[in-house]
């Protein structure tokens, strides 16, 4: 059979950590080469929590992505904001990202008391700025996401016009919950479609697979896959690609985060192909996000070809997801230059 080509129109990564400084320079080109844009997480060492910080960070990202065509959709780190701040920022951000305090990497400045967020959330609703949420409680690690659904319910019912994104959902319960409110969308990562807790900790411990939310049970993974392959309109791809250098992963106190950006589209194509639904990939990696967020990303056709390659063990100091494995699809060289 002749090798096949797959063309994706303006693929988007709706949840992406690009970091700053040398790490930004190292990792940004892998996203910029295969995506038309991405939603940039604001959890830098000093959170991106002002318009000045958004502008400064966007400029650094654009420099790191040059010469690729790639739009960084910027987010503000949730804190108490006044109306004027959000009005000024509205046209330069895609949303505001809420982290519960201390729940994951660099989230210390996050929300400590959910009883006190109402005023800022009401402004987001009024100004039609989406709220992106890391939805985990401080409960038992396997139960955190399901426990947090009560907060999503409260948000959806108290602020009925607010667009809410449940970031990186990992459970059957979250998949089921998503159907209840059409103001709520969700992102799903590549790694949560592929691994369970067994891969992380069932054999020798795998720090490269340690992330938040932690990978769950086979039943949860099955529910996620079924949902994604069925192609519902409010499920979007967000890699949550979150690079950490080797010395922060292979140590006592391993940082949470999986660096999946270099393998994102090739691995997704393999997964959708195996499931017999390659025609649904476009909805997951682009159309659903465009509709929910009302985006017009840059026109950029990314071509994948059936050409196998071996994922390197390291990119600089960072071990990528699926390091050492062979993938059937690769991003065609021509699309790297945006021809
Ligand atoms: O595993 C994770 N890593 N989950 C997050 O929520 C944050 C991310 C990071 O920034 O490293
Ligand atoms: Zn994240």
């Amino acid at each position: 059979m002749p090798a096949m080509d797959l063309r994706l129109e303006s693929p988007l990564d709706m949840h992406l950590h690009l970091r700053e400084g040398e790490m930004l320079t190292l990792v940004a080109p892998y996203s910029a080469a295969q995506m038309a844009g991405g939603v940039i997480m604001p959890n830098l060492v000093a959170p991106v929590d002002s318009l000045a910080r958004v502008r400064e960070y966007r400029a650094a990202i654009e420099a790191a992505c040059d010469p690729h065509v790639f739009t960084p959709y910027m987010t503000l780190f949730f804190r108490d904001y006044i109306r004027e701040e959000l009005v000024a920022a509205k046209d330069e951000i895609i949303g505001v990202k809420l982290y519960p305090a201390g729940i994951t990497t660099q989230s210390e400045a996050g929300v400590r008391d959910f009883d006190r967020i109402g005023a800022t959330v009401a402004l987001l609703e009024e100004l039609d700025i989406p709220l992106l949420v890391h939805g985990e409680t401080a409960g038992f690690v396997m139960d955190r996401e399901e426990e947090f659904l009560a907060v999503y319910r409260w948000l959806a019912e108290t602020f009925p016009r607010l667009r809410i994104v449940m970031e990186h959902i990992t459970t059957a319960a979250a998949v089921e919950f998503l159907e209840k409110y059409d103001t709520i969308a969700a992102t799903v990562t590549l790694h949560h479609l592929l691994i369970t807790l067994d891969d992380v900790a069932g054999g020798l411990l795998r720090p490269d697979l340690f992330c938040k939310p932690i990978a769950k049970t086979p039943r949860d993974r099955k529910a996620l896959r079924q949902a994604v392959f069925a192609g519902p309109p409010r499920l979007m791809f967000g890699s949550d690609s979150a690079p950490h250098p080797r010395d922060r992963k292979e140590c006592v106190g391993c940082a949470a985060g999986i660096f999946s950006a270099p393998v994102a589209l090739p691995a997704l194509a393999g997964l959708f192909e195996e499931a017999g639904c390659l025609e649904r990939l476009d909805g997951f990696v682009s159309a659903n996000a465009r509709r929910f967020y009302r985006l017009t990303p840059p026109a950029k056709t990314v071509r994948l070809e059936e050409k196998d390659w071996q994922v390197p063990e390291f990119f600089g100091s960072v071990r990528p997801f699926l390091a050492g494995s062979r993938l059937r699809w690769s991003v065609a060289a021509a699309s790297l230059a945006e021809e």
Side-chain angles (χ1 to χ4, degrees), residues 15 17 19 41 43-44 97 99 103-107 134 136 167-168 191-192 209-214 240-244 249 255-258:
H15 185 129
H17 298 267
R19 315 299 192 207
M41 292 298 130
N43 63 329
L44 302 187
K97 173 73 189 285
Y99 290 92
I103 201 68
T104 187
T105 308
Q106 287 149 210
S107 59
H134 182 118
E136 290 194 286
E167 296 293 343
H168 42 54
H191 48 273
H192 291 116
L209 302 182
F210 176 63
C211 65
K212 298 293 178 68
I214 194 90
D240 201 8
S241 179
H244 293 281
K249 293 292 282 178
I258 296 180

Side-chain angles (χ1 to χ4, degrees), residues 67-339:
H68 297 289
V69 172
F70 179 86
T71 300
Y73 295 105
M74 306 304 292
T75 59
L76 273 176
F77 193 102
F78 188 98
R79 59 169 171 79
D80 289 335
Y81 286 102
I82 58 168
R83 201 166 190 293
E84 288 68 27
E85 288 175 300
L86 293 175
V87 168
K90 181 178 157 65
D91 292 342
E92 299 189 42
I93 58 172
I94 191 168
V96 173
K97 173 73 189 285
L98 185 157
Y99 290 92
I103 201 68
T104 187
T105 308
Q106 287 149 210
S107 59
E108 287 312 315
V111 169
R112 288 183 189 277
D113 183 356
F114 279 83
D115 290 339
R116 295 182 47 194
I117 66 172
T120 298
V121 177
L123 288 171
L124 297 178
E125 180 186 40
E126 180 203 327
L127 297 170
D128 199 17
I129 299 173
L131 176 66
L132 288 55
V133 184
H134 182 118
E136 290 194 286
T137 66
F140 177 65
V141 70
M142 291 294 279
D143 297 338
R144 290 176 184 181
E145 181 174 292
E146 190 160 352
E147 287 175 2
F148 197 89
L149 294 178
V151 179
Y152 284 123
R153 185 173 301 111
W154 169 74
L155 283 168
E157 295 190 354
T158 315
F159 307 97
R161 286 175 295 115
L162 176 69
R163 279 179 289 158
I164 300 164
V165 183
M166 303 162 73
E167 296 293 343
H168 42 54
I169 60 171
T170 60
T171 57
V175 168
E176 199 179 310
F177 182 85
L178 182 63
E179 317 226 321
K180 298 194 199 326
Y181 300 95
D182 59 15
T183 50
I184 300 190
T187 57
V188 179
T189 73
L190 168 67
H191 48 273
H192 291 116
L193 289 169
L194 287 175
I195 65 172
T196 69
L197 185 59
D198 242 18
D199 297 294
V200 187
L204 294 178
L205 188 66
R206 292 285 301 268
D208 55 326
L209 302 182
F210 176 63
C211 65
K212 298 293 178 68
I214 194 90
K216 303 290 188 312
T217 66
R219 177 177 164 267
D220 290 309
R221 181 180 59 181
K222 189 171 172 200
L224 277 183
R225 286 186 178 181
Q226 274 176 351
V228 163
F229 296 150
R234 285 176 281 108
L235 266 190
M236 315 177 283
F237 174 60
S239 69
D240 201 8
S241 179
H244 293 281
R246 185 175 191 173
D247 63 345
R248 297 274 290 115
K249 293 292 282 178
E250 299 176 14
C251 61
V252 176
C254 160
I258 296 180
F259 177 48
S260 58
V263 299
L265 289 181
L268 281 174
L271 199 59
F272 276 67
E273 184 183 39
E274 263 174 50
C277 59
L278 257 184
E279 75 284 358
R280 301 255 166 84
L281 184 56
D282 170 74
F284 186 52
V285 300
S286 188
N288 295 352
R290 286 191 233 182
R291 195 178 325 104
F292 186 80
Y293 276 109
R294 302 174 199 142
L295 296 178
T296 311
K300 173 173 172 179
T301 305
V302 173
R303 194 163 61 85
L304 298 182
E305 53 189 2
E306 259 186 310
K307 188 166 139 198
D308 70 331
W309 60 293
Q310 184 162 356
V311 181
E313 292 290 337
F314 280 97
F315 290 91
S317 61
V318 189
R319 187 189 293 279
F321 187 46
L322 304 177
S325 47
R326 287 203 87 77
L327 299 184
R328 270 176 41 72
W329 291 90
S330 49
V331 177
S335 45
L336 296 179
E338 276 95 41
E339 280 179 9

